Amino acid sequence: MYPAYLTEEKLHEFIRNAMKEDHGDGDHTSLGCIREGTQAQGHLLFKQEGIVAGMEMAQIIFDVFSKDLLFESYKKDGDFIHEGEVGFKVSGDAIQLLGAERLVLNCLQRMSGIATYTHYLKSLIRNSPAQLLDTRKTTPNFRIAEKWAVEIGGGTNHRFGLHDMVMLKDNHIDFAGGVAKALKSTKSYLEKAKKKLKIEIEVRSLQELKEVIKEGGVDRIMLDNMIPSQIRQSIAMIDGKYETEASGGITEMSISEIADTGVDYISIGALTHSYKSLDMSLKAI
């Protein structure tokens, strides 16, 4: 089942908007060359190995597009798949099937690419309790699918958007006039607005960290672009009072060393902006 932040209403809205973008006033290719009422079958063929994500999304898309399309799944989200394997079979009206094909493949290819890359990075820190987080560096209007894929791949979602958590980053701090001013103003705003949101703040130096610790009132401290020795020193200074998150410039080569510092979370924007889509296609049978 999809995560709690993905309501049925939001999913259906995403699918309807995507279909409207693709179809316009009609699929004139299929309408022009296929006789109305023609029945067809197709199956999803995987062309490379990886972690599949988007099977449940595919079923929802076909169902939203037409209740008459019959979907039979052979794989589930999170399964490891091999080249040449079949993911699902779909049958029904040929024009309807082709009308939903590209949206289904777009979601499956991208979501599976994200899940596969997330699973790989997660494997690099498997001996650490650190959690792997995504970010808001997502494709506009495709965030629900991308964050869903991160979870399927074994990662953890950070905040979904600007509305569900306070994250004071470098620009917020600079525009507010410094760490203390940013925190004081934020806590005052949340109290007046009667919002119970967690507060995370980014620090770029040990001096900024000292200011945060002095002011207090946060839930998590993000250690931005720090090398492992600085992260260890920061964690020692924080002394378990707040959650810690490492972010910025973390790669496949450095993630294991970062995790070994004892940091609670590691956030990587590349999960949703630098993955490679998995190769697959829908073939007539």
Side-chain angles (χ1 to χ4, degrees):
M1 189 55 187
Y2 41 84
Y5 62 80
L6 284 178
T7 64
E8 184 176 340
E9 180 183 1
K10 288 181 179 178
L11 274 173
H12 285 208
E13 181 183 11
F14 159 70
I15 293 167
R16 286 193 298 268
N17 287 338
M19 287 179 172
K20 184 178 179 181
E21 175 187 59
D22 202 27
H23 280 250
D25 67 350
D27 175 9
H28 301 303
T29 306
S30 296
L31 291 170
C33 72
I34 299 175
R35 182 168 51 86
E36 186 178 348
T38 297
Q39 297 297 296
Q41 293 186 87
H43 67 203
L44 178 71
L45 180 66
F46 296 114
K47 296 182 178 180
Q48 64 183 119
E49 66 178 29
I51 303 296
V52 65
M55 295 296 290
E56 190 172 351
M57 174 76 90
Q59 184 169 7
I60 296 169
I61 291 170
F62 281 125
D63 188 56
V64 169
F65 195 81
S66 172
K67 297 290 186 182
D68 295 326
L69 291 172
L70 301 178
F71 181 88
E72 184 178 358
S73 178
Y74 304 131
K75 298 289 181 181
K76 65 181 184 299
D77 289 329
D79 282 351
F80 187 87
I81 49 93
H82 299 274
E83 180 182 355
E85 287 191 298
V86 173
F88 64 71
K89 181 176 75 174
V90 61
S91 58
D93 184 274
I95 294 175
Q96 294 176 340
L97 193 157
L98 289 171
E101 174 192 17
R102 178 44 55 192
L103 177 56
V104 167
L105 287 175
N106 283 344
C107 290
L108 272 164
Q109 289 179 306
R110 288 160 175 77
M111 290 178 70
S112 295
I114 291 169
T116 299
Y117 191 47
T118 301
H119 181 266
Y120 168 64
L121 290 183
K122 184 71 173 176
S123 74
L124 299 180
I125 59 172
R126 60 183 175 273
N127 295 322
S128 163
Q131 294 188 51
L132 181 62
L133 298 178
D134 56 22
T135 70
R136 284 174 51 245
K137 295 175 182 178
T138 55
T139 307
N141 299 319
F142 199 60
R143 183 175 296 176
I144 56 172
E146 291 175 336
K147 282 188 169 282
W148 189 358
V150 167
E151 284 207 351
I152 291 170
T156 302
N157 293 149
H158 209 308
R159 58 176 179 165
F160 186 80
L162 294 170
H163 55 87
D164 56 1
M165 182 180 183
V166 170
M167 184 186 290
L168 296 167
K169 294 180 68 67
D170 52 358
N171 284 336
H172 298 99
I173 293 167
D174 292 341
F175 292 166
V179 167
K181 288 183 178 179
L183 280 173
K184 283 184 171 68
S185 181
T186 295
K187 288 183 282 187
S188 175
Y189 164 78
L190 292 176
E191 185 177 355
K192 290 177 182 177
K194 297 182 179 179
K195 294 282 186 182
K196 293 184 178 179
L197 298 177
K198 288 188 174 182
I199 299 175
E200 177 170 3
I201 187 166
E202 175 183 280
V203 297
R204 296 162 285 186
S205 65
L206 296 181
Q207 178 56 42
E208 285 191 340
L209 177 58
K210 290 177 183 177
E211 293 176 42
V212 172
I213 293 172
K214 181 179 179 180
E215 178 64 30
V218 302
D219 297 279
R220 186 184 304 172
I221 300 176
M222 177 190 289
L223 310 171
D224 184 51
N225 281 294
M226 291 189 179
I227 61 175
S229 60
Q230 291 174 314
I231 294 174
R232 287 191 176 91
Q233 188 174 353
S234 298
I235 291 173
M237 290 169 62
I238 293 167
D239 194 27
K241 294 182 177 68
Y242 310 109
E243 294 178 340
T244 56
E245 177 183 334
S247 184
I250 300 169
T251 67
E252 298 172 13
M253 300 297 293
S254 64
I255 188 172
S256 178
E257 188 178 4
I258 296 293
D260 288 342
T261 63
V263 72
D264 297 314
Y265 299 95
I266 300 173
S267 56
I268 300 183
L271 293 179
T272 54
H273 72 60
S274 295
Y275 63 92
K276 183 177 180 181
S277 295
L278 241 61
D279 193 10
M280 61 188 74
S281 60
L282 188 65
K283 294 294 187 182
I285 54 177

